[in-house]
Amino acid sequence: MTLAELIAQARTALDTAITTRQQEQDALVALRSDENLTEEAVAAQVARRDAADAEVTRRQQALEQLEAEQVREDELAALQARTVPAVTRAPAYDRVARVGAEERTYRPDQDRRGSAFERDVAAAFLGDYEARDRLARHMAEERAERGDQLVRAAGTGAFSGLVVPQYLTDLYAPAAAARRPFADAIRGHDLPAQGMTVNLSRITTSTSTDLQTENSAVDETNIDDTLMTINVQTNAGQQTLSRQAIERGSGVEPVVLDDLFRQYSTTLDSTLINQATNGLSAVATSVAYTDTTPTVAEAYPKVLEALAGVESALLDMASGENIAVMHSRRWYWMQNAMSSTWPLISQPGIAAQMSGTNLGTTYGSGVRGALPNGTPVIVDNNIATNLGSGTDEDEIYLVDRNECHLWEDPNAPMYIRAEQPKLANLGVLMVVYGYFAYTHARYTQARKIAGTGLVTPTFTGV
């Protein structure tokens, strides 16, 4: 194995260590936001984060050592090239390789959109030898400047947008994904290390008390519970890449891995909301909003009705940390309303003349704003928009965030890179997977606003 190949391996190992360290740090941040955290759990996660940090340092030092060796080798090679025996006849001028500031074949300052590169690709297929020569020079330049990335696999045809000049791949566009705003907002737990179910005890028959008549028996009702069994589910995806795509493409493997992680998050979050039987939409008690000409002023009382239902269901178990979860189109519709009427009761931190506040944060970054009564809003585009008889309705969910439970493996999602299964085809199999369990039904507290009042919104200012 060459020194360049060792450097390429060391860079890949460093990238993997950095990714692992970031996952451990994210897990630590998520753990610290859990109200029920213990010092032992935090200390254990800090230890895992520090171990991952130490691994990054070790990998970085190994890479720096290899790169220093490469620099020394290059210096010796240059020195040897300048040391020519006196008896050796100097070669002709046109037979000497010279190193200078020769311009790149495709330059961003002359061809920002890469149209020259694209024309040459098309012309080369039609037999244009000059175009083939320019493409060959470009590949030689890429090997000289980014050899570690080229020595790295879906086929190269699937990544035609990446096997191009570097100034074009810097701005590659990942596939947009809804990701996991709702999953990040609810109460998270570490998934138990073993088993494919999570079991909870629910008190379904409580004790009782009553006023006693003197010398009569004291009231008694036997307490009883029901076992609540929650299935552990597996979220997974795979992609087989050809070695040609990995080794001849530019950063193809990290791009595919990033896309798999984004889709993993989206599937998890969508499952929490939309899965039949157990998803939020399935278990929430419906509050009907039926209106052929819906307005924000008419929809808002339904929000309060739903919140009243949440608190009535939880009684003293209500944490008060209610959230409203809605699609981005519904959030912007609620912001479009204009009115001259103000609420009779003002809320902390919200001026009476406002119909809520927009915090100006980006999608997926947490709370987007607050409704007029102060309820935080989570915007999640995994919410379906094809509901109802006209297949054009969405839903608004009102829940106590602490009674929506999500158990995840602390290391999820996990990554497998296997070369043996597809070795005969020069394929590399990449698999991303993780285990999770969830429930919104420990108490029947969740509410949803649904009906013809939530058809595709029109932005008319009401």
Side-chain angles (χ1 to χ4, degrees):
M1 183 174 291
T2 65
L3 190 55
E5 290 172 335
L6 289 173
I7 291 175
Q9 281 189 352
R11 285 177 175 162
T12 301
L14 177 58
D15 289 343
T16 301
I18 291 173
T19 300
T20 301
R21 192 268 179 197
Q22 188 58 49
Q23 290 175 345
E24 297 295 350
Q25 177 63 21
D26 292 343
L28 179 59
V29 172
L31 181 64
R32 283 171 170 161
S33 65
D34 189 343
E35 294 181 351
N36 298 320
L37 82 167
T38 63
E39 293 184 2
E40 293 77 8
V42 172
Q45 184 58 41
V46 168
R48 286 193 289 269
R49 192 274 314 275
D50 291 346
D53 203 42
E55 179 67 9
V56 170
T57 301
R58 189 176 72 82
R59 295 291 185 181
Q60 182 181 12
Q61 292 172 345
L63 175 60
E64 291 173 349
Q65 182 178 359
L66 289 171
E67 289 176 334
E69 291 181 20
Q70 183 65 66
V71 169
R72 183 55 179 164
E73 290 296 319
D74 292 342
E75 290 175 349
L76 292 175
L79 180 61
Q80 186 177 31
R82 292 197 300 269
T83 306
V84 181
V87 296
T88 302
R89 182 179 178 181
Y93 180 88
D94 61 351
R95 295 181 180 276
V96 176
R98 290 176 169 80
V99 178
E102 185 174 352
E103 295 182 349
R104 289 291 302 260
T105 304
Y106 304 108
R107 292 171 50 191
D109 58 329
Q110 295 181 349
D111 182 26
R112 189 64 192 170
R113 297 181 181 273
S115 55
F117 172 79
E118 294 173 352
R119 285 196 301 270
D120 280 351
V121 171
F125 277 110
L126 297 175
D128 186 326
Y129 291 104
E130 292 184 358
R132 290 180 181 177
D133 288 343
R134 285 191 293 272
L135 290 172
R137 286 200 303 273
H138 161 64
M139 288 308 299
E141 293 160 357
E142 291 293 284
R143 280 192 290 271
E145 295 189 8
R146 298 188 294 121
D148 60 304
Q149 297 180 42
L150 295 177
V151 183
R152 293 274 179 179
T156 55
F159 301 97
S160 56
L162 294 176
V163 190
V164 295
Q166 180 62 33
Y167 68 91
L168 298 180
T169 63
D170 287 343
L171 297 177
Y172 91 94
R179 308 208 52 180
R180 46 176 293 165
F182 177 60
D184 289 336
I186 63 178
R187 187 173 177 181
H189 312 274
D190 285 349
L191 188 69
Q194 295 179 325
M196 290 304 292
T197 59
V198 175
N199 297 313
L200 301 178
S201 173
R202 297 175 62 203
I203 304 299
T204 51
T205 302
S206 65
T207 60
S208 63
T209 66
D210 201 354
L211 299 179
Q212 185 217 18
T213 301
E214 190 174 355
N215 291 325
S216 65
V218 173
D219 187 73
E220 179 183 12
T221 300
N222 293 330
I223 192 170
D224 192 16
D225 77 329
T226 300
L227 185 65
M228 183 178 187
T229 300
I230 305 163
N231 291 327
V232 175
Q233 303 184 61
T234 305
N235 181 10
Q238 66 174 322
Q239 181 70 59
T240 301
L241 304 181
S242 71
R243 279 207 162 277
Q244 290 87 339
I246 290 179
E247 295 180 358
R248 306 295 294 180
S250 174
V252 170
E253 189 172 356
V255 167
V256 174
L257 189 59
D258 174 70
D259 193 69
L260 281 169
F261 283 155
R262 293 162 67 86
Q263 296 308 314
Y264 178 94
S265 296
T266 302
T267 298
L268 171 67
D269 192 87
S270 180
T271 301
L272 298 182
I273 297 173
N274 303 310
Q275 189 173 43
T277 306
N278 298 315
L280 182 58
S281 180
V283 303
T285 301
S286 184
V287 174
Y289 175 37
T290 304
D291 197 330
T292 57
T293 56
T295 66
V296 176
E298 294 169 344
Y300 180 63
K302 297 295 181 179
V303 172
L304 296 181
E305 180 182 347
L307 287 169
V310 171
E311 188 162 322
S312 295
L314 290 171
L315 299 177
D316 68 326
M317 298 307 298
S319 71
E321 294 188 37
N322 300 326
I323 57 174
V325 187
M326 64 186 71
H327 194 277
S328 62
R329 73 179 194 177
R330 193 58 52 196
W331 172 234
Y332 284 104
W333 176 70
M334 297 192 79
Q335 292 181 61
N336 103 108
M338 308 288 288
S339 175
S340 60
T341 59
W342 300 342
L344 296 177
I345 301 175
S346 63
Q347 304 294 330
I350 299 178
Q353 63 269 34
M354 296 181 182
S355 57
T357 57
N358 176 26
L359 298 181
T361 56
T362 58
Y363 179 85
S365 59
V367 176
R368 294 289 296 276
L371 297 178
N373 71 327
T375 300
V377 174
I378 302 296
V379 173
D380 194 321
N381 285 344
N382 284 303
I383 295 174
T385 58
N386 60 347
L387 305 174
S389 58
T391 64
D392 59 350
E393 300 171 11
D394 55 73
E395 296 175 337
I396 301 175
Y397 304 103
L398 288 306
V399 298
D400 185 320
R401 61 169 293 273
N402 288 311
E403 283 305 326
C404 294
H405 299 268
L406 171 62
W407 289 266
E408 291 186 274
D409 189 312
N411 297 317
M414 288 166 279
Y415 170 47
I416 298 174
R417 187 182 192 275
E419 302 187 12
Q420 294 302 320
K422 300 291 184 179
L423 184 60
N425 298 329
L426 285 181
V428 177
L429 178 63
M430 302 169 63
V431 179
V432 167
Y433 75 99
Y435 304 115
F436 71 99
Y438 75 94
T439 184
H440 313 302
R442 199 170 76 130
Y443 297 96
T444 55
Q445 52 92 24
R447 297 294 187 271
K448 67 178 181 181
I449 303 172
T452 56
L454 295 178
V455 296
T456 303
T458 55
F459 297 87
T460 58
V462 294

